[in-house]
Amino acid sequence: MSVYRPLVCLLRHGTAARVCRTVTTWSPVGAAFNAKVQRRLDLFQQNVGLFGVPELSSLEGFEVVQDRALQETEQLVEKACHCPPGVQTVEIFDKLSDSLCRVADMADFIKVAHPDPSYREAAERTCISIGTMVERLNTNVELCKSLKDLLDNEEILSKLDPETRRVAELFMFDFEISGIHLDKKKRKEAVNLNVKLLDLSNQFLMSCHMPNRIEKRALPEHIHQHFTKDGNYIQIGGLNADAPDDLVREVAYKVFLYPNANVMHILEELLSCRDKLARLVGYESFAHRALKGTMAKSPEAVMSFLQQITDKLTDRTKKDFEMMREMKTKLNPRNPELMPWDHPYFSGVIRAERFNIEPSLYSPYFSLGACMEGLNGLFTQLYGVSLLAEQPSAGEVWSEDVRKLAVVHETEGLLGYIYCDFFYRPDKPHQDCHFTIRGGRQLDDGQYQLPMVVLMLNLPHPTRSAPTLLSPGMMENLFHEMGHAMHSMLGRTRYQHVTGTRCATDFAEVPSILMEYFATDYRVISQFARHYQTGQPLPQSMVARLCESKKVCGAADTQLQVFYAILDQVYHGKPQNQSTTDIMIDMQKKYYGLAYVTNTAWQLRFSHLVGYGAKYYSYLMSRAVASMVWKQCFHKDPLNRETGERYRREMLAHGGGKEPMLMVEGMLQKRPSIEDFVNALVSDLDPDFETFIMDSEG
């Protein structure tokens, strides 16, 4: 059983707020995020430990909570092995999973996010220790037999409720992919492959973000300022995709993506080991294994989905690239050829020019506090849920910038906690992300174990003269990540193994992407977008232009994602007698449209190959589902309480405890086909002519 399932208001006395608003008063939740927090020093306040775990008030506590979890695990294993088959078997397995997850998930977060290296190292050691126990459990034949006895007993199985039965099957799947059904020799081989894969995955992830360097003298001096200097070398740690200078983008692309033979070997070993393990445990390929239990179900369905998108977008993509070529020719007549490093930059230039989309025009309307007020209002209207800002206790959070939200339902009471780590720190991960710290589950005494999640963004800090102001992209990211958080908060699964976002990967992104539709609807935005100084509302025409601007070059952007998803599928399908670079060149030619650049290896920076192996298509499929749910259910009235309650009941409440397509079918009142998904994605790119009318009238 894997504990590493994929990878979200009243101010108490003591939170001093210097609120940067001159027109009206912020609500408590708005004030909590538009203020610099100044926690009052209380010498007599007891350190409650990270996330309220008393032992984690010190480094030594990691070993204490780890050892307690391991001891509890041994007791539960003994209990499971001597328990007669029935619902109690599944309950014990879930307690096992919960005991390990509550430590592993917390340590998994702390090892990447805590500012103190010693805490990160202690958390890393805990992760390794818990991981070792998981490997032992995955190959415990007696433990597996207790579950198999349940699943093989049709009489008992028929009496289980659907969620309990599904959770039992998911636990058995975790055993099977570890080779529990194999003979002793092959089972040992499966264990060794899993251990090797963990090491290769960590090596590849680390290498994905390592900068490359080049001698200073190899580059024109006037572009040195755009990169990091390291003695006689220039370090390049990214693609500099937004740089206006064509040469800067070209140099960044060619140097950052320059092939590294060692990393190439790591990737090819990683893919080879995945294939060997999948075949060893009885699957045709790693992709077949990875897609079991998803909405797509098979690699063949995924490839059909991606091919149909390509067929529908071919002409539009060509037109998009032609627009970019024309813009590049206009700005740089001496070098008009469109290259891969030009795509992100010139699509942005065209959007800005055509629709006057300048982030600085929008950000004064999107103060962080205003956006949080908007989310609070939206959740109240849709679900009867409020976000209440709480003062964290001493030692509960890892940085003074972290805000704590209690999520409270008007009749159900407290649903859980969201810790908001929103402000930039050099030591934290640069990607916006969410972490499950504790999953929800039904307890033996009838109470419910409240979920805890962390949302991590990298927003600018407030200044003396202004609160944190968000660009439209930052605002959308906030809504997106809050969609993950509310998936965890509003779920009420019986078992933590399937709580919240612990569901099929191609379903997990649906709630977060759906929130992006709310974030770009004027009826929602008009409730909170006010200029932080004047109080003036954001004009509707500006919102309309922002929405339409996203469709510009949308076909080319979508096709790029299709290329990535197909590359991921091919890498994890039947082994090819080609290098990963040769495969990429072939797929780029067939599914993208811009030429491969010699001596580059983009796949060596494709970090999603680790966490989303054979599942990168999930972003596109989740977007298709979110689009269908939005258009059919929310577009007419995005603030309708009855629709919000139905959405919670049909899609959010179940986590991974219900087959994903059944949840979609329940919401849409039909089972969508692959063609329906494709049409939903493509129709999102169609222009809205009302916007052009509005602009012409304005």
Side-chain angles (χ1 to χ4, degrees):
M1 101 202 99
S2 169
V3 298
Y4 296 106
R5 285 187 173 274
L7 340 139
V8 174
C9 300
L10 298 173
L11 279 173
R12 292 184 184 171
H13 184 66
T15 305
R18 178 165 149 25
V19 183
C20 306
R21 186 171 184 172
T22 58
V23 182
T24 55
T25 306
W26 295 109
S27 72
V29 74
F33 286 87
N34 266 2
K36 273 231 176 195
V37 172
Q38 297 172 351
R39 307 206 194 280
R40 190 179 62 178
L41 182 63
D42 187 344
L43 298 176
F44 300 100
Q45 191 175 13
Q46 184 179 355
N47 187 324
V48 300
L50 288 168
F51 298 107
V53 178
E55 291 82 1
L56 296 187
S57 58
S58 68
L59 280 175
E60 296 72 30
F62 281 97
E63 198 168 334
V64 175
V65 294
Q66 161 199 304
D67 290 347
R68 186 168 62 216
L70 295 177
Q71 186 178 4
E72 187 179 347
T73 296
E74 298 284 4
Q75 294 167 357
L76 287 167
V77 168
E78 182 70 17
K79 195 172 179 183
C81 291
H82 295 89
C83 170
V87 66
Q88 190 183 1
T89 308
V90 183
E91 290 172 347
I92 294 170
F93 267 78
D94 192 63
K95 287 177 183 176
L96 252 175
S97 178
D98 181 59
S99 179
L100 294 170
C101 277
R102 275 186 289 128
V103 178
D105 290 343
M106 192 184 304
D108 216 26
F109 166 74
I110 293 168
K111 77 175 184 180
V112 298
H114 202 287
D116 185 338
S118 58
Y119 266 82
R120 295 199 297 268
E121 289 164 11
E124 175 67 36
R125 290 192 294 273
T126 294
C127 285
I128 292 169
S129 179
I130 298 293
T132 302
M133 171 57 82
V134 170
E135 287 301 330
R136 281 178 55 198
L137 295 178
N138 283 343
T139 54
N140 186 320
V141 177
E142 191 180 359
L143 183 63
C144 178
K145 185 179 181 302
S146 69
L147 189 63
K148 193 173 187 303
D149 288 345
L150 168 64
L151 291 170
D152 287 347
N153 191 320
E154 285 297 333
E155 184 183 350
I156 297 175
L157 202 59
S158 65
K159 295 176 183 176
L160 298 181
D161 64 90
E163 184 181 358
T164 300
R165 181 168 179 159
R166 178 171 171 81
V167 170
E169 290 168 349
L170 288 171
F171 278 125
M172 181 54 74
F173 175 63
D174 290 334
F175 276 122
E176 288 172 353
I177 62 175
S178 297
I180 195 77
H181 55 293
L182 304 174
D183 61 43
K184 191 172 181 181
K185 182 181 178 184
K186 288 183 177 178
R187 195 160 63 241
K188 185 176 181 182
E189 185 183 350
V191 170
N192 290 339
L193 281 169
N194 272 312
V195 170
K196 188 175 181 181
L197 276 170
L198 188 61
D199 184 46
L200 289 168
S201 296
N202 287 334
Q203 288 183 56
F204 184 70
L205 273 178
M206 287 180 63
S207 69
C208 282
H209 306 292
M210 291 292 288
N212 276 344
R213 62 181 197 162
I214 188 171
E215 288 189 12
K216 279 183 182 178
R217 62 182 182 177
L219 301 180
E221 193 169 339
H222 73 277
I223 67 169
H224 288 190
Q225 61 181 317
H226 296 279
F227 307 110
T228 303
K229 294 173 185 175
D230 180 17
N232 292 324
Y233 291 88
I234 295 285
Q235 275 198 0
I236 298 180
L239 294 174
N240 289 55
D242 296 329
D245 189 322
D246 290 353
L247 184 59
V248 170
R249 295 195 309 278
E250 179 180 354
V251 165
Y253 190 94
K254 289 180 174 178
V255 174
F256 188 62
L257 300 184
Y258 191 79
N260 179 302
N262 182 49
V263 180
M264 191 80 74
H265 175 71
I266 291 169
L267 175 58
E268 290 178 349
E269 272 289 288
L270 175 66
L271 298 175
S272 174
C273 283
R274 282 179 169 175
D275 181 69
K276 285 177 187 173
L277 181 60
R279 290 174 183 275
L280 184 64
V281 299
Y283 289 90
E284 193 177 327
S285 69
F286 181 82
H288 284 86
R289 176 193 135 169
L291 296 176
K292 184 174 177 179
T294 61
M295 284 195 293
K297 296 194 181 300
S298 72
E300 293 77 18
V302 172
M303 290 301 283
S304 173
F305 172 59
L306 298 171
Q307 184 62 57
Q308 286 185 51
I309 297 171
T310 300
D311 294 342
K312 290 254 186 181
L313 291 182
T314 299
D315 291 341
R316 290 195 193 194
T317 301
K318 287 178 182 176
K319 288 178 183 176
D320 285 353
F321 284 140
E322 191 52 45
M323 268 198 302
M324 293 181 213
R325 282 190 190 94
E326 289 172 3
M327 179 59 74
K328 186 173 183 181
T329 303
K330 176 182 171 183
L331 297 179
N332 188 357
R334 290 178 298 178
N335 187 19
E337 185 182 2
L338 192 69
M339 299 300 290
W341 55 79
D342 294 323
H343 176 165
Y345 177 72
F346 283 107
S347 59
V349 169
I350 294 167
R351 288 186 190 107
E353 185 179 86
R354 182 173 294 185
F355 289 99
N356 191 25
I357 304 301
E358 170 53 51
S360 63
L361 298 176
Y362 286 82
S363 57
Y365 297 92
F366 294 141
S367 72
L368 178 55
C371 294
M372 294 305 297
E373 284 185 353
L375 285 162
N376 186 38
L378 177 63
F379 297 149
T380 300
Q381 291 170 85
L382 286 180
Y383 313 120
V385 163
S386 297
L387 305 176
L388 309 183
E390 286 195 359
Q391 169 77 6
S393 300
E396 185 179 357
V397 295
W398 51 99
S399 168
E400 65 175 16
D401 289 329
V402 176
R403 270 63 161 182
K404 180 184 178 184
L405 294 176
V407 181
V408 181
H409 190 273
E410 58 191 24
T411 58
E412 297 170 35
L414 183 61
L415 298 181
Y417 293 102
I418 303 172
Y419 292 86
C420 302
D421 189 353
F422 283 173
F423 299 106
Y424 172 79
R425 293 193 311 275
D427 56 78
K428 69 192 278 192
H430 291 169
Q431 300 95 337
D432 295 341
C433 48
H434 83 287
F435 296 83
T436 297
I437 303 300
R438 184 176 71 197
R441 72 180 182 101
Q442 198 69 48
L443 299 174
D444 292 340
D445 62 3
Q447 298 292 309
Y448 197 78
Q449 178 171 288
L450 297 177
M452 286 183 183
V453 301
V454 173
L455 296 188
M456 189 167 280
L457 305 177
N458 281 279
L459 303 178
H461 289 263
T463 66
R464 284 184 171 275
S465 58
T468 292
L469 302 178
L470 278 59
S471 68
M474 291 174 182
M475 185 269 285
E476 265 191 57
N477 285 347
L478 171 62
F479 271 62
H480 178 103
E481 296 302 334
M482 193 60 80
H484 284 306
M486 294 308 289
H487 196 179
S488 292
M489 296 297 113
L490 294 172
R492 276 302 178 263
T493 54
R494 181 175 178 179
Y495 304 101
Q496 76 81 37
H497 197 63
V498 290
T499 185
T501 55
R502 287 178 179 152
C503 57
T505 310
D506 54 7
F507 181 83
E509 292 294 327
V510 173
S512 52
I513 292 174
L514 182 62
M515 283 296 293
E516 295 176 23
Y517 287 88
F518 286 99
T520 51
D521 188 284
Y522 184 71
R523 292 163 294 181
V524 176
I525 291 179
S526 63
Q527 296 203 326
F528 69 88
R530 297 282 187 278
H531 197 288
Y532 78 99
Q533 289 176 316
T534 67
Q536 290 298 306
L538 180 65
Q540 186 173 358
S541 61
M542 287 180 68
V543 177
R545 289 204 307 272
L546 183 64
C547 293
E548 285 307 292
S549 72
K550 293 179 184 179
K551 300 174 184 178
V552 176
C553 301
D557 294 344
T558 302
Q559 195 56 48
L560 180 59
Q561 294 302 309
V562 169
F563 160 53
Y564 294 160
I566 284 180
L567 186 64
D568 173 44
Q569 285 298 307
V570 175
Y571 280 165
H572 290 103
K574 294 176 183 176
Q576 311 282 312
N577 293 319
Q578 292 178 286
S579 70
T580 57
T581 301
D582 287 338
I583 292 170
M584 185 188 68
I585 293 170
D586 288 348
M587 294 303 106
Q588 184 166 337
K589 184 177 181 181
K590 189 174 181 182
Y591 291 104
Y592 184 31
L594 295 184
Y596 166 74
V597 179
T598 306
N599 285 328
T600 62
W602 178 85
Q603 77 274 20
L604 302 185
R605 301 294 184 175
F606 195 5
S607 59
H608 284 80
L609 287 173
V610 173
Y612 281 76
K615 295 180 183 179
Y616 190 82
Y617 78 93
S618 296
Y619 290 108
L620 289 167
M621 191 164 280
S622 288
R623 183 164 293 282
V625 174
S627 173
M628 295 176 76
V629 171
W630 172 259
K631 289 169 187 169
Q632 185 174 316
C633 306
F634 287 105
H635 183 260
K636 187 176 180 181
D637 181 2
L639 303 171
N640 185 278
R641 177 65 175 271
E642 188 178 335
T643 309
E645 293 286 3
R646 192 165 77 82
Y647 173 57
R648 180 188 181 187
R649 187 170 62 251
E650 295 289 351
M651 293 186 74
L652 297 180
H654 306 286
K658 190 174 179 180
E659 199 268 317
M661 192 60 88
L662 288 178
M663 292 189 272
V664 175
E665 187 177 350
M667 192 67 196
L668 298 177
Q669 297 295 293
K670 64 171 268 189
R671 179 169 285 247
S673 64
I674 292 293
E675 189 177 359
D676 291 329
F677 289 155
V678 172
N679 289 337
L681 275 177
V682 173
S683 66
D684 269 358
L685 303 177
D686 293 337
D688 179 359
F689 292 104
E690 286 185 19
T691 302
F692 298 109
I693 294 169
M694 193 183 303
D695 271 356
S696 62
E697 287 176 348

